[in-house]
Amino acid sequence: MAQCVLSVHEFIQDSFVPMIAVLCSGEAERVTRKNNLNFAELLRPFCRLTSEGHIRDPNNQLQTVKNLRLCVSNVVTSPSTSSASLGPSQNRLLSEVVFSCQPQEGAQATVMRTGDYNLNLSVTTPWFEAYRENFLQSMPASDHEFLNHYLACLLVVSSTEAVPVEQFLKLSQEQHRIQHSGEYTNPKWFIPNTLKYYVLLHDMNEGDEQRAELVYEDMKQRYGPQGCYLLKINSRASSPEEDEQIPDPWSQYLHKQNLRNQDVLELAPAANVTPAQDTVVAPDADSSDSTDKGSGVSSCLDTHPLQLDTDSCTASLLTLSPVDADGKKSTGDTDSLAAAAGNHGASLTLNDHDRIRQFIQEFTFRGLLPHIEKNIRQLNDQLVSRKGLSRSLFTATKKFFGGGKVPEKSINEPKSTYGLQYPPEAPELQIRKMADLCFLVQHYELAYSCYHTAKKDFLSDQAMLYAAGALEMAAVSAFLQGGAPRPYPSHYMDTAIQTYRDVCKNMVLAERCALLSAEILKSQGKYSEAATLLIKMTSEDSDLRSALLLEQAAHCFINMRNPMVRKFAFHMILAGHRFSKAGQRRHALRCYSQAMQVYKHRDWALAEDHINFTIGRQSFTLEQPENALLAFRQILINDSRQTATQQAAFLREYLYVVKSVFGEKESRLPQLPLPYIQSSATRVYFGHERRLAEGEKQAATHVSLDQEYDQDLSVLWCQLEEQLAASANRGILPSNFQPTQSCLNSQTDNLHHPLAVVEEPIIVEVTFRNPLKVSLLLSNLSLLWRFTTGTPLGGKESTSEQLAGETITNEDTSADEKDEIVTTEIIKEFFVGSEETKTARLKLLPHRTGQLNIVGVIYNLTSSHFGETSSNTEGQQMLDSMIIRGRQDLKIQGPRLNLTKEDKMQVRHGMDRRLEPIITPPMPLMEVFFLQFPTALLCGEIRKAYVEFCNVSAVALCGLRVASTHPDFFTFGSQATTPFTPPSPGSAENCSAYVTFPTPFQPGSVSSEMLVSAPAFSQPSGVMEIPIHGSTLQPGESIQLPLWLRGPDQEGVHEINFLFYYENTQKGLKISHRVLRHTVFICASRSLSIQASACRSSASPHHSLNDRGSGGTLVFIDVENVNASESGVREFHIVQVSSSSQHWRLHKYINPGNNYDCRLSSRERAKLCFKAKRCKPHEGSDTVKEYTFADLNLGNERIMSSSTPCGDFFFRCHQSSEFEQVNSASRTSSSSKSQGSDITSIARKCNELDLNIIVIWKAYVVEDNKQLILEGQLHVALQTIGKEASSLIPKEETQEMMLLRFKSELPPPVILPYPELSQLIRTNLCYPETFTHQFVSESLCLVPVSLTLSNCSLAQIDVIIDLRHKSTSSESLEVHTSFAWVGQTQYRLQLEGQEVVNLTLQACFFRAGVYNLNTLLVFAKPAEHSALCESSQQTASPALIIINNACPLLS
């Protein structure tokens, strides 16, 4: 139970006090009425004694009476009421007490932390204490107990009466008639000889004081000094000039007096009769208010406290009307005088207050206490005399004198359904009467003894009502005993409650018993027992009582040593439900709100929905719209598990509340909870939407909201834009460069204000999610914005403070004025299905420069469920009434900061300014279209397309450039657009791309594209300036340029990105440039595979004098058709082979047959052989590297390989490959030693070739029964003699297929010999192929052999020639060894760079046969490296000689 103001002892003592009756004459009533009080009310604030009283018990022991309080009330004769239940008027008045006692705002609260709960609870429950006090004081008098019977009667007469003594006599006779005539069953009197106390009331402003004293003296003579009193009041003259403030102690007691007086006035019953959830009957309303219920009244919540409304429950907030929350009376009640207007005690002074207080003490100490003491002695004497007789004799005596008990079915006595009734003179009642007297004067030990004795008698007689009363008071007396008290007999109380409730059917007495016992148990810390007791007392006959007891039980659960939080919350819900049924809406709201603290955010979804729904309804009825909105909003934003029907009911209630609160006013739009807006998913797009393809034109893809954001791709676009910006700024990236972001989302960098252009739309994509199973309809959906006019001050990133100008918003501005600033697109209808996530794209078009802040969205909300059922006019009206206009703000949280230590220790978020664009002046806007652009190409295929650039803005653009991830994929042609030679007629007919613009390649014209020196690589190689006339594109102008494409060398699908860059002709703007993106996907299929290799010619150097030191080089080209047959390619035709190099050129084509035409069908191969020669030294600047193009056509046409597009694609491919080689060379050069570097360079220069081969082909394709001719070119770069090069890029092995290899230890470094030095010297043997000798005549055959040594390097070489042949290998044993070199068998020579030396040798043969002369060994090393060992040189192919015998018979 909650904490109470009174202690348990004070509470029990104040619950059972002596009852004093008052009878006043008419004149005395008039005197007291000057103070707006009657006499009983006048005494009430002074009825608690401030000093102790004393009585003597039957044992003559002095007993102290402390803090005694009297209950003084007017004598009211009313019909007898059953003590088993309270009357309707009493219930109504108790309900009013609870209703008027509401929790005060800012009252003391306790913050309880238990487990992971933090609860904010009320410390006290004053409404329960007020109910309990008034309930106990308003209990009807009962015959089985005497605690609330009158002990004395005050007879009050005014001193202004003519004969006051006669008035006293009349009042005394009236009291005697009321008590003893038998006409009145109420009020009830404690003992037959009631104490009469005579009070003479004297008005100090009217009466004669001397006469009053004389009358008082006469009264003393008549009634004795202890039986009368002279009370002087009204000492204060009522003068308006007097400003003395007299306290008003009566106000706090007047309401309590009303409770008892209203019962006397017999007002019609009004409260607690079928109160409904949706129609609140004010506690002070009359009976017509509670019985006249409209058709919209609901009783849904009468069934179960946790049952929610469904369609069967027709009541909703639409039928509710707020009640008078203050609970004021609508009509004037004919209540006591205390209800009249004006101050109380206006004619009384503080001295009068003291006189009244003194009167109460005199009456108590001289009249009441002696009277009680005398009656206790008399009753005790009867009890003692009874104990002296035997039980049987005593019973016989009672029967003889008529004092026995009357059976239940006797006709002469009232019936009872729970046992016997005793006559007033019964000895058992005398014992009970003595116990009650002792209890009233705080003699609890004697009272317990008497109660215990009476209990036994009652139980033996089966008088259960009397026995229950004795048990109840015996338990209370045992608890209140001082000293060493007996243990509290709680079982007495349990038996009494059970008897009252189940046997006697008296819920009033059972409730009183439960209230007393629960308070006692709480004081002993037995909260669990107290809660159980209170819960047992709940029933359906009284909602108010059940609500109060359930609430106290909930407080018991929370105050236990181990608080039971969930039980507290559950019983608070039950209490709130019963409060609601009892019409106590404020208390119901309070209970639900306290229970909500437990269920909130604990995944009790259904319980939370019920609580919020009830809080919303109660708050709305109590005219608390803000709380109602919060509660209904919470229902809708939670992930509800309710059915669709229930969710529709929730939504309907919410819409009605919003409609009622805000009405039609749009000046203050409510924040709507539905549908959810996923703010972080909001995307913002700046610029026009991309135009789709027009006929054959294909528009650039650019950026759109339909594309998914790719972080890696975004980085790639940023790198391309950096290349373009640096190229436009002389190779240096501007310091204020910011990459263009046309579409902003949660993954982009939103730290800076985005830049938008005036007259260009801003599209905001908002993601809505409907959490309900009910479809939602949003109408007139648009963006809510705030615009600050003016331009940003300064060029740096500006803030809102730096913007000069007025702020305009479309929330409170007229439509015309808004459209002049920003045109807002409105979506008429936007459906969001049940549990659907849907995006809406809302557009703004700014017309002025300034700062634009997109605040949120504004729309009309209703449920499409209503619209589906509203086919008739009435339904349409309901649909219209359910439409509310509101807003939702877009609040985007930036990314969490994680840079500093403070950021890591705390949760901080950065700025996200994607919804705060700065509107800048007009900028050029370009659109790009492609014509005849293919989607599939063969590897190396050349295709011609066209690109169209359109300036669709009102501003001229310039500086048009393009960058790509595949710069070798396309070309716009060389700068010289004039054809070098006119196209041939045959080429023109075949629409060949090679001769369309046969521009000759000149070193000077293409130097910017052909530079291969190291500084050339400092600038991006992928940037290309687009050649447009005048370098400027005027507004509305368009230009179409040819574009050559070449299929990628590797098969597969290739994603190729183009980034077009252009600038405004006006410089110094905030937006320096704009870009346009385009992405294409090209499917490349295999065409030809080319393998090329080179070897030195074996011809004697004397036969090629022009190639001094290198008898020419042979180039072998293997061509294979690797195209799949299903692609439609019939055959490939090799039409031309060209070369491009600074040092070498293809000299001639070695054709093995005449009129050879190289045509390859599927899977066919061909081998072509060419002879290459060195180029003549170039004349000119050494800084410009010049390339020599050599063309060898294999067909009837000759293609200029140095012109567009052949030369362009060659240089683009060559430039990218050389760039990679330079990078790899620079990475490895720093780690090489100087000595090794020199030797490697010598060997590399010896074998260096640097010959680039261009193979041009045509393919014949059959498509749709038509033959098409495709053409293309493949590139092979021969870098080194003896190493094969391929046009196909080998596929890298995938990571999944690679085997796990353990890294072995590195072998020790091999310093000598260098494998690169094995090709320094080239050898060539010159000898006759056939030689005839007569071995018969001469056994030895000598053959002269000429050995030619050629130095292939430019360095001086030391050579050692060893002719001795001693081979032990098994392979050499198979060759004839019967020949030997004769003469000098070892030579040591020194050859200068590229020197050729001839040696004459002689071979000696012993018999005829075939011999291999190439058995000599040649060793060489650079002359300058003396410490280096000689390396064995690679020898040529076998040199076979045939020795014939002149006489065959001898061979």
Side-chain angles (χ1 to χ4, degrees):
M1 298 176 67
Q3 297 181 9
C4 299
V5 177
L6 300 177
S7 67
V8 59
H9 291 79
E10 293 173 341
F11 160 66
I12 296 177
Q13 289 177 8
D14 288 350
S15 300
F16 303 100
V17 295
M19 302 286 293
I20 310 299
V22 174
L23 282 177
C24 290
S25 65
E27 187 65 20
E29 190 69 25
R30 184 191 64 80
V31 172
T32 57
R33 194 174 299 171
K34 293 182 179 180
N35 299 288
N36 292 327
L37 300 166
N38 59 31
F39 188 76
E41 292 170 346
L42 181 69
L43 301 183
R44 184 160 294 113
F46 312 100
C47 285
R48 184 176 296 277
L49 301 181
T50 57
S51 57
E52 297 180 354
H54 301 279
I55 64 169
R56 291 189 177 274
D57 62 8
N59 295 326
N60 208 26
Q61 298 293 326
L62 190 64
Q63 184 69 28
T64 303
V65 181
K66 301 178 180 178
N67 200 25
L68 182 65
R69 187 176 72 88
L70 305 181
C71 181
V72 181
S73 60
N74 294 325
V75 173
V76 178
T77 57
S78 61
S80 177
T81 59
S82 173
S83 63
S85 62
L86 298 178
S89 59
Q90 291 171 311
N91 285 326
R92 171 183 173 273
L93 295 173
L94 286 177
S95 178
E96 182 183 352
V97 167
V98 177
F99 185 86
S100 61
C101 189
Q102 299 291 341
Q104 298 179 357
E105 295 184 2
Q108 182 182 2
T110 299
V111 178
M112 176 176 291
R113 292 177 176 85
T114 170
D116 54 350
Y117 293 96
N118 290 329
L119 306 180
N120 196 352
L121 306 177
S122 300
V123 178
T124 59
T125 52
W127 50 91
F128 171 71
E129 296 180 54
Y131 169 87
R132 187 176 60 182
E133 179 182 356
N134 286 275
F135 168 78
L136 293 174
Q137 293 182 5
S138 61
M139 285 186 63
S142 177
D143 291 332
H144 77 285
E145 63 182 11
F146 305 93
L147 291 169
N148 52 359
H149 292 191
Y150 285 122
L151 268 172
C153 183
L154 297 178
L155 307 178
V156 186
V157 173
S158 174
S159 62
T160 56
E161 296 278 359
V163 184
V165 176
E166 292 183 0
Q167 291 296 327
F168 279 124
L169 182 58
K170 290 181 181 180
L171 293 178
S172 178
Q173 292 173 352
E174 177 69 16
Q175 188 275 333
H176 188 271
R177 184 181 65 85
I178 292 173
Q179 180 176 359
H180 297 287
S181 65
E183 298 177 10
Y184 307 102
T185 56
N186 283 318
K188 296 184 182 296
W189 304 90
F190 205 107
I191 50 180
N193 187 18
T194 301
L195 172 66
K196 298 183 180 65
Y197 197 81
Y198 302 89
V199 181
L200 182 63
L201 193 64
H202 176 65
D203 189 339
M204 298 292 290
N205 290 323
E206 290 185 1
D208 186 357
E209 187 173 358
Q210 292 183 356
R211 181 175 180 274
E213 291 289 345
L214 293 175
V215 172
Y216 179 56
E217 289 298 329
D218 185 37
M219 292 169 58
K220 287 181 181 181
Q221 297 296 327
R222 288 176 177 268
Y223 312 120
Q226 287 83 17
C228 58
Y229 193 84
L230 172 61
L231 179 60
K232 301 177 181 179
I233 60 172
N234 295 346
S235 301
R236 182 182 182 188
S238 57
S239 58
E241 297 85 4
E242 206 170 330
D243 296 332
E244 184 183 1
Q245 295 294 329
I246 301 297
D248 182 7
W250 293 272
S251 57
Q252 58 180 325
Y253 295 95
L254 294 183
H255 190 72
K256 303 173 185 177
Q257 178 67 21
N258 293 344
L259 289 173
R260 289 178 292 278
N261 290 347
Q262 297 240 4
D263 191 21
V264 176
L265 294 173
E266 296 180 356
L267 295 178
N272 251 13
V273 278
T274 62
Q277 168 74 5
D278 296 313
T279 303
V280 174
V281 180
D284 50 8
D286 52 28
S287 59
S288 62
D289 293 334
S290 63
T291 57
D292 185 12
K293 294 185 176 68
S295 60
V297 175
S298 167
S299 60
C300 299
L301 294 179
D302 292 345
T303 56
H304 192 276
L306 294 181
Q307 179 178 346
L308 292 172
D309 290 341
T310 59
D311 285 345
S312 62
C313 175
T314 59
S316 67
L317 287 180
L318 278 63
T319 60
L320 287 181
S321 59
V323 300
D324 187 359
D326 297 331
K328 297 178 181 178
K329 294 181 174 59
S330 58
T331 58
D333 292 331
T334 57
D335 200 8
S336 64
L337 294 175
N343 295 328
H344 307 108
S347 299
L348 303 177
T349 62
L350 294 178
N351 290 332
D352 292 336
H353 293 183
D354 294 338
R355 292 189 186 102
I356 298 173
R357 191 175 292 109
Q358 183 64 31
F359 159 67
I360 293 295
Q361 288 195 0
E362 288 291 328
F363 162 71
T364 303
F365 294 155
R366 294 195 176 189
L368 181 61
L369 291 181
H371 177 71
I372 294 176
E373 180 181 343
K374 182 182 69 173
N375 283 276
I376 290 176
R377 288 181 179 276
Q378 292 177 357
L379 293 171
N380 182 66
D381 292 341
Q382 296 178 12
L383 179 61
V384 171
S385 63
R386 177 191 171 189
K387 288 181 180 180
L389 300 175
S390 66
R391 176 67 176 167
S392 59
L393 179 62
F394 184 62
T395 304
T397 306
K398 286 191 292 182
K399 289 182 179 180
F400 181 77
F401 289 102
K405 295 179 284 292
V406 181
E408 179 183 356
K409 295 182 180 180
S410 173
I411 300 175
N412 299 327
E413 295 294 333
K415 304 293 187 298
S416 173
T417 60
Y418 43 81
L420 302 175
Q421 282 189 336
Y422 293 96
E425 301 83 7
E428 290 85 353
L429 289 188
Q430 304 305 315
I431 300 175
R432 172 62 197 256
K433 189 176 296 185
M434 177 181 172
D436 288 345
L437 283 176
C438 293
F439 187 89
L440 291 177
V441 294
Q442 304 174 10
H443 197 341
Y444 300 117
E445 185 176 357
L446 183 56
Y448 173 77
S449 177
C450 294
Y451 284 132
H452 196 270
T453 302
K455 180 242 329 177
K456 294 180 179 180
D457 294 342
F458 293 143
L459 287 176
S460 65
D461 294 337
Q462 291 298 308
M464 301 310 297
L465 178 63
Y466 296 89
L471 283 170
E472 173 188 3
M473 297 311 298
V476 175
S477 300
F479 173 74
L480 293 178
Q481 286 184 31
R486 293 182 176 89
Y488 171 64
S490 59
H491 59 286
Y492 279 15
M493 277 293 192
D494 297 338
T495 305
I497 294 174
Q498 184 179 3
T499 304
Y500 281 142
R501 184 183 59 195
D502 300 335
V503 179
C504 305
K505 309 299 181 182
N506 193 319
M507 288 302 297
V508 175
L509 294 175
E511 180 180 354
R512 183 188 71 180
C513 192
L515 292 175
L516 295 173
S517 181
E519 193 67 29
I520 294 172
L521 290 172
K522 184 194 77 170
S523 67
Q524 296 178 342
K526 299 178 180 179
Y527 290 102
S528 178
E529 291 83 351
T532 304
L533 177 63
L534 294 171
I535 294 172
K536 286 181 179 179
M537 285 304 300
T538 59
S539 61
E540 293 298 325
D541 61 332
S542 174
D543 290 319
L544 181 62
R545 180 187 71 236
S546 299
L548 291 167
L549 296 185
L550 284 170
E551 182 184 11
Q552 294 305 309
H555 281 281
C556 288
F557 288 123
I558 203 67
N559 287 322
M560 295 173 64
R561 177 175 297 178
N562 295 319
M564 306 176 74
V565 181
R566 289 194 294 272
K567 276 199 172 185
F568 160 78
F570 179 71
H571 286 85
M572 287 299 281
I573 293 295
L574 298 178
H577 172 70
R578 300 302 291 270
F579 270 129
S580 180
K581 291 179 66 177
Q584 303 286 341
R585 292 189 177 272
R586 286 189 181 275
H587 289 293
L589 176 60
R590 175 184 49 76
C591 290
Y592 276 101
S593 300
Q594 289 193 357
M596 189 63 186
Q597 300 178 76
V598 177
Y599 289 106
K600 193 174 184 180
H601 305 314
R602 301 282 175 177
D603 292 334
W604 295 80
L606 298 179
E608 197 171 345
D609 288 346
H610 167 77
I611 297 172
N612 278 315
F613 182 72
T614 308
I615 290 176
R617 279 197 161 191
Q618 303 289 11
S619 299
F620 177 76
T621 311
L622 294 172
E623 297 183 343
Q624 299 177 10
E626 298 298 331
N627 293 338
L629 286 178
L630 288 176
F632 281 116
R633 180 188 180 92
Q634 198 67 32
I635 298 178
L636 298 176
I637 65 176
N638 284 339
D639 290 333
S640 177
R641 301 175 187 173
Q642 303 285 353
T643 62
T645 305
Q646 192 61 59
Q647 290 180 358
F650 289 160
L651 180 59
R652 181 174 64 247
E653 303 290 350
Y654 174 77
L655 296 177
Y656 180 76
V657 170
V658 175
K659 192 81 171 179
S660 303
V661 173
F662 293 93
E664 301 296 333
K665 299 179 294 182
E666 292 194 10
S667 58
R668 178 170 168 253
L669 294 174
Q671 287 282 349
L672 300 180
L674 291 177
Y676 291 178
I677 292 183
Q678 299 176 358
S679 297
S680 60
T682 301
R683 299 195 295 169
V684 186
Y685 177 77
F686 301 97
H688 291 280
E689 294 185 358
R690 181 176 67 93
R691 282 198 294 174
L692 302 177
E694 299 178 356
E696 295 182 355
K697 293 183 180 180
Q698 177 185 353
T701 55
H702 195 44
V703 182
S704 69
L705 289 171
D706 297 327
Q707 301 172 358
E708 293 293 334
Y709 179 79
D710 189 338
Q711 181 68 35
D712 297 334
L713 200 57
S714 177
V715 173
L716 180 64
W717 288 117
C718 181
Q719 292 173 353
L720 292 176
E721 188 173 355
E722 289 178 357
Q723 294 180 16
L724 290 164
S727 174
N729 196 35
R730 299 177 182 177
I732 303 173
L733 189 65
S735 59
N736 60 345
F737 170 78
Q738 289 291 336
T740 302
Q741 296 186 118
S742 300
C743 184
L744 300 179
N745 53 41
S746 59
Q747 298 177 339
T748 56
D749 182 12
N750 305 323
L751 188 60
H752 304 281
H753 287 279
L755 300 178
V757 180
V758 69
E759 300 297 339
E760 291 190 12
I762 300 172
I763 302 175
V764 180
E765 183 184 81
V766 183
T767 303
F768 294 98
R769 184 174 74 88
N770 180 11
L772 304 181
K773 299 181 180 70
V774 181
S775 300
L776 299 178
L777 173 60
L778 279 61
S779 58
N780 294 333
L781 175 63
S782 62
L783 287 173
L784 192 62
W785 49 263
R786 184 171 61 251
F787 186 84
T788 304
T789 58
T791 57
L793 303 176
K796 297 182 180 180
E797 196 70 30
S798 61
T799 60
S800 57
E801 290 78 6
Q802 294 175 313
L803 292 167
E806 60 176 342
T807 300
I808 303 170
T809 177
N810 65 335
E811 187 177 2
D812 53 0
T813 313
S814 62
D816 296 338
E817 184 178 353
K818 289 186 293 184
D819 290 340
E820 292 178 0
I821 301 170
V822 178
T823 300
T824 306
E825 181 190 43
I826 298 177
I827 299 178
K828 294 299 181 182
E829 286 188 346
F830 185 76
F831 287 93
V832 186
S834 62
E835 298 181 340
E836 180 186 8
T837 299
K838 192 175 181 180
T839 58
R841 294 178 180 175
L842 305 169
K843 186 183 297 184
L844 297 176
L845 184 63
H847 303 295
R848 296 184 186 177
T849 58
Q851 170 77 56
L852 178 65
N853 288 340
I854 301 172
V855 180
V857 292
I858 182 172
Y859 54 90
N860 296 330
L861 174 64
T862 186
S863 172
S864 60
H865 177 71
F866 304 150
E868 294 171 1
T869 58
S870 59
S871 57
N872 52 10
T873 306
E874 181 180 355
Q876 186 61 36
Q877 291 176 356
M878 174 170 282
L879 173 63
D880 295 339
S881 66
M882 287 296 100
I883 296 178
I884 59 172
R885 185 153 185 84
R887 60 184 284 179
Q888 278 202 67
D889 292 342
L890 292 172
K891 298 178 181 179
I892 302 178
Q893 191 177 54
R896 181 176 176 180
L897 302 178
N898 198 27
L899 298 177
T900 63
K901 182 179 179 181
E902 289 76 11
D903 294 340
K904 296 178 181 179
M905 297 293 291
Q906 303 176 9
V907 179
R908 294 182 180 179
H909 294 271
M911 299 297 295
D912 193 308
R913 302 184 183 274
R914 75 181 89 163
L915 297 178
E916 302 174 8
I918 295 177
I919 311 302
T920 61
M923 280 289 292
L925 183 64
M926 182 181 69
E927 290 185 351
V928 179
F929 298 95
F930 297 89
L931 288 83
Q932 302 176 12
F933 203 93
T935 58
L937 292 172
L938 295 174
C939 291
E941 179 186 349
I942 303 295
R943 189 77 63 91
K944 185 178 181 180
Y946 294 91
V947 59
E948 182 178 348
F949 302 97
C950 303
N951 186 356
V952 296
S953 65
V955 182
L957 63 87
C958 63
L960 187 57
R961 291 175 172 81
V962 64
S964 176
T965 54
H966 295 68
D968 53 350
F969 172 70
F970 69 99
T971 179
F972 285 96
S974 58
Q975 294 181 356
T977 58
T978 304
F980 178 73
T981 57
S984 61
S987 300
E989 290 176 2
N990 294 331
C991 299
S992 175
Y994 286 110
V995 293
T996 304
F997 294 100
T999 304
F1001 172 74
Q1002 297 178 359
S1005 62
V1006 293
S1007 59
S1008 61
E1009 300 180 359
M1010 293 189 296
L1011 288 178
V1012 292
S1013 58
F1017 295 103
S1018 61
Q1019 293 187 0
S1021 60
V1023 177
M1024 179 187 299
E1025 294 186 6
I1026 300 177
I1028 57 176
H1029 183 67
S1031 302
T1032 304
L1033 203 59
Q1034 297 299 326
E1037 185 180 354
S1038 63
I1039 186 173
Q1040 195 174 96
L1041 297 177
L1043 180 70
W1044 288 272
L1045 309 174
R1046 178 177 178 271
D1049 290 324
Q1050 190 173 3
E1051 66 172 327
V1053 179
H1054 298 264
E1055 180 180 354
I1056 301 175
N1057 300 312
F1058 297 88
L1059 188 63
F1060 296 95
Y1061 171 100
Y1062 56 97
E1063 300 175 349
N1064 196 338
T1065 54
Q1066 181 182 355
K1067 306 299 180 182
L1069 298 178
K1070 196 167 186 64
I1071 302 180
S1072 60
H1073 66 274
R1074 304 189 86 171
V1075 293
L1076 180 67
R1077 301 178 183 178
H1078 180 57
T1079 300
V1080 295
F1081 292 90
I1082 299 295
C1083 181
S1085 55
R1086 293 186 294 179
S1087 57
L1088 296 177
S1089 171
I1090 299 177
Q1091 307 288 334
S1093 61
C1095 64
R1096 290 190 176 91
S1097 175
S1098 60
S1100 175
H1102 301 285
H1103 295 88
S1104 54
L1105 298 177
N1106 293 333
D1107 297 334
R1108 182 175 177 268
S1110 61
T1113 300
L1114 297 179
V1115 177
F1116 298 95
I1117 300 176
D1118 287 327
V1119 183
E1120 181 183 2
N1121 182 358
V1122 294
N1123 182 262
S1125 58
E1126 59 268 10
S1127 62
V1129 179
R1130 192 176 63 186
E1131 64 178 7
F1132 284 90
H1133 182 199
I1134 308 301
V1135 296
Q1136 180 171 308
V1137 178
S1138 301
S1139 68
S1140 174
S1141 176
Q1142 291 180 289
H1143 309 291
W1144 293 82
R1145 62 185 173 88
L1146 290 179
H1147 178 55
K1148 64 178 180 179
Y1149 171 45
I1150 305 175
N1151 190 353
N1154 296 327
N1155 299 325
Y1156 178 75
D1157 192 7
C1158 186
R1159 295 178 182 270
L1160 301 174
S1161 297
S1162 178
R1163 311 307 299 176
E1164 290 185 345
R1165 300 180 64 176
K1167 192 176 185 71
L1168 307 179
C1169 184
F1170 299 88
K1171 188 174 183 180
K1173 292 185 177 181
R1174 285 188 178 272
C1175 299
K1176 297 180 180 180
H1178 298 290
E1179 296 179 359
S1181 174
D1182 295 336
T1183 59
V1184 178
K1185 295 185 178 181
E1186 298 179 351
Y1187 287 77
T1188 300
F1189 283 85
D1191 300 329
L1192 293 174
N1193 60 309
L1194 306 183
N1196 299 324
E1197 294 179 349
R1198 184 184 177 192
I1199 296 172
M1200 299 292 294
S1201 61
S1202 60
S1203 63
T1204 300
C1206 183
D1208 296 85
F1209 285 118
F1210 163 72
F1211 281 112
R1212 285 186 172 272
C1213 297
H1214 182 68
Q1215 191 176 24
S1216 59
S1217 63
E1218 274 199 351
F1219 181 68
E1220 295 176 359
Q1221 291 175 8
V1222 169
N1223 282 343
S1224 62
S1226 63
R1227 287 193 299 267
T1228 58
S1229 61
S1230 60
S1231 62
S1232 302
K1233 297 182 179 179
S1234 59
Q1235 180 182 1
S1237 176
D1238 295 340
I1239 298 173
T1240 305
S1241 63
I1242 292 172
R1244 188 175 63 247
K1245 290 178 181 179
C1246 173
N1247 299 320
E1248 195 176 54
L1249 188 61
D1250 190 20
L1251 178 63
N1252 301 288
I1253 298 174
I1254 305 171
V1255 178
I1256 302 175
W1257 50 263
K1258 288 186 179 180
Y1260 297 90
V1261 181
V1262 177
E1263 187 175 296
D1264 296 334
N1265 296 325
K1266 294 182 181 179
Q1267 178 171 318
L1268 303 178
I1269 300 178
L1270 307 179
E1271 53 191 354
Q1273 65 188 52
L1274 295 173
H1275 306 143
V1276 180
L1278 278 173
Q1279 301 292 336
T1280 309
I1281 294 177
K1283 287 188 178 181
E1284 192 176 54
S1286 175
S1287 63
L1288 293 179
I1289 302 175
K1291 292 185 178 180
E1292 295 182 359
E1293 188 178 1
T1294 58
Q1295 189 69 26
E1296 291 78 10
M1297 299 299 294
M1298 290 184 65
L1299 297 176
L1300 180 63
R1301 297 184 179 92
F1302 294 98
K1303 189 174 181 182
S1304 60
E1305 295 183 0
L1306 294 176
V1310 179
I1311 302 176
L1312 295 175
Y1314 284 89
E1316 293 86 353
L1317 303 182
S1318 62
Q1319 298 180 2
L1320 294 177
I1321 301 298
R1322 187 175 58 149
T1323 61
N1324 188 22
L1325 291 174
C1326 185
Y1327 55 93
E1329 294 182 1
T1330 304
F1331 193 83
T1332 305
H1333 179 70
Q1334 292 183 1
F1335 287 94
V1336 178
S1337 59
E1338 189 174 357
S1339 61
L1340 294 178
C1341 176
L1342 296 177
V1343 178
V1345 178
S1346 176
L1347 174 62
T1348 304
L1349 300 174
S1350 302
N1351 186 358
C1352 297
S1353 68
L1354 301 177
Q1356 192 178 43
I1357 301 298
D1358 290 339
V1359 182
I1360 297 177
I1361 302 170
D1362 188 1
L1363 301 180
R1364 294 170 296 176
H1365 180 70
K1366 293 181 180 179
S1367 178
T1368 58
S1369 64
S1370 59
E1371 295 178 356
S1372 61
L1373 294 178
E1374 298 178 359
V1375 185
H1376 288 285
T1377 58
S1378 57
F1379 105 92
W1381 298 101
V1382 296
Q1384 186 176 350
T1385 59
Q1386 187 168 347
Y1387 297 86
R1388 188 180 186 89
L1389 305 175
Q1390 191 173 66
L1391 275 65
E1392 299 296 332
Q1394 294 188 347
E1395 181 182 358
V1396 179
V1397 176
N1398 290 325
L1399 294 178
T1400 302
L1401 308 176
Q1402 288 206 6
C1404 179
F1405 301 92
F1406 305 103
R1407 61 177 179 174
V1410 179
Y1411 297 91
N1412 180 14
L1413 297 179
N1414 196 2
T1415 60
L1416 51 87
L1417 297 178
V1418 180
F1419 300 93
K1421 70 170 183 177
E1424 60 184 3
H1425 295 85
S1426 59
L1428 193 67
C1429 295
E1430 293 83 357
S1431 298
S1432 176
Q1433 302 299 297
Q1434 291 182 358
T1435 58
S1437 56
L1440 301 179
I1441 185 171
I1442 301 174
I1443 304 297
N1444 295 322
N1445 191 354
C1447 185
L1449 296 176
L1450 300 176
S1451 58

